Each structure stands twice: as C-alpha cells, then as structure tokens.
C-alpha cells in the first residue's frame, strides 16, 4: 500500500528533522552569545516551520488515505498524532515564537536566551509527536 509507505516515510522525515533540531542545532545555538543566538534562531525557525508544517500536513493526509484503504486504526492514530503538532504549535509554542521574532537582534539578552531555551523544551513535545506518529505508522505497516 503506497499511501502507508509514503506516510511512514513522511513521518520519519518529520521526526528526523525534529530530532536534528533538538539534538544538534539547538545545543550548538545555545553556545552562542544572545545576539548571535537570536540571529541564528529567526531564519532557522522560519525555514523549519515551513518544512515541518508541510511534512505534518502531508503525513496526516497520507496516513488518513492509508486508513481509508486498510481500515486499520493505527494509520488514523498516526495521522492524528502527526497533525496534533499544528494546534500545539499554534496554541502553545506560537506565543514564545512571536516574542522571539519581535525581539530586535540588538536587544537580545538573558531573557532572549531563556525564551530560546523554553522554545526548545516546547519543540521537544513536537519531536515526541513525530516519533510517536512514526512508530504508529510502522506498527500499522507491520500489522496484517
């Protein structure tokens, strides 16, 4: 079933990108001074949002398609788990993002560092959703 295989690949791409941000990019960012940290975070956030938002939506659509084909609830559970990142981002992460985006680079300070650290903790939840969706899609693809 091609829809399921594509859903699994999409969720794995989402998860891989999120894990990279959490395990590699963010720790490296935290070694910078506040102005450099914010300078790096702003374009990274914009690009990451576009990529991960698209992957979440595509994975949701593919997972739903796989569910309609196979009638296996695991496909739908994975699709909804991946999509859950959208409302979580809009309701929980966006206020922090907006504060960071509104901060001029020259005004970056210890509060900026704290906000970026908070953002990373919030982003870890989105990473967890991606991993959970990937595992649900994997389980669905292995079930009879």
């Amino acid at each position: 079933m091609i829809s399921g295989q594509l859903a699994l690949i999409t969720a794995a791409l989402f998860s891989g990108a999120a894990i990279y941000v959490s395990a590699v990019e963010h720790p490296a960012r935290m070694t910078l001074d506040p102005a450099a940290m914010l300078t790096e975070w702003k374009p990274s956030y914009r690009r990451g949002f576009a990529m991960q938002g698209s992957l979440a939506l595509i994975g949701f659509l593919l997972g739903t398609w796989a569910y309609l084909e196979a009638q296996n609830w695991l496909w739908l559970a994975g699709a909804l788990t991946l999509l859950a990142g959208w409302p979580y981002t809009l309701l929980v992460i966006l206020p922090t993002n907006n504060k960071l985006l509104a901060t001029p680079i020259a005004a970056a300070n210890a509060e900026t560092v704290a906000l970026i650290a908070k953002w990373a903790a919030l982003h870890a939840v989105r990473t967890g959703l991606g991993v959970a969706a990937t595992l649900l899609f994997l389980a669905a693809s292995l079930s009879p």
Side-chain angles (χ1 to χ4, degrees):
M1 172 174 48
I2 191 71
S3 60
Q5 293 170 345
L6 292 173
L8 177 57
I9 290 167
T10 303
L13 288 169
F14 177 97
S15 299
I19 290 168
Y20 174 82
V21 168
S22 295
V24 178
E25 182 181 5
H26 178 72
R29 179 188 300 128
M30 293 303 289
T31 67
L32 303 172
D33 65 81
M37 187 182 297
L38 187 59
T39 298
E40 190 280 334
W41 182 87
K42 285 185 178 192
S44 176
Y45 161 72
R46 286 186 177 107
R47 290 177 178 170
F49 177 80
M51 182 188 72
Q52 285 200 291
S54 298
L55 287 171
L57 182 59
I58 292 165
F60 165 74
L61 293 172
L62 289 166
T64 301
W65 179 17
Y67 166 72
L68 293 173
E69 287 183 336
Q71 295 298 304
N72 180 338
W73 69 270
L74 290 168
W75 290 115
L76 186 59
L80 292 172
T81 300
L82 200 53
L83 188 66
W86 272 77
Y88 174 75
T89 297
L90 295 173
L91 298 173
V92 180
I93 301 177
L94 194 59
T96 300
N97 293 351
N98 287 341
K99 286 178 188 174
L100 287 166
L101 290 169
T103 303
I105 301 300
N109 56 24
E111 181 182 348
T112 307
V113 174
L115 281 172
I116 290 177
K118 178 182 178 182
W119 173 87
L122 296 172
H123 180 270
V125 173
R126 196 167 46 210
T127 302
L129 290 170
V131 170
T134 302
L135 293 174
L136 286 163
F137 287 159
L138 180 62
S141 70
L142 296 174
S143 67

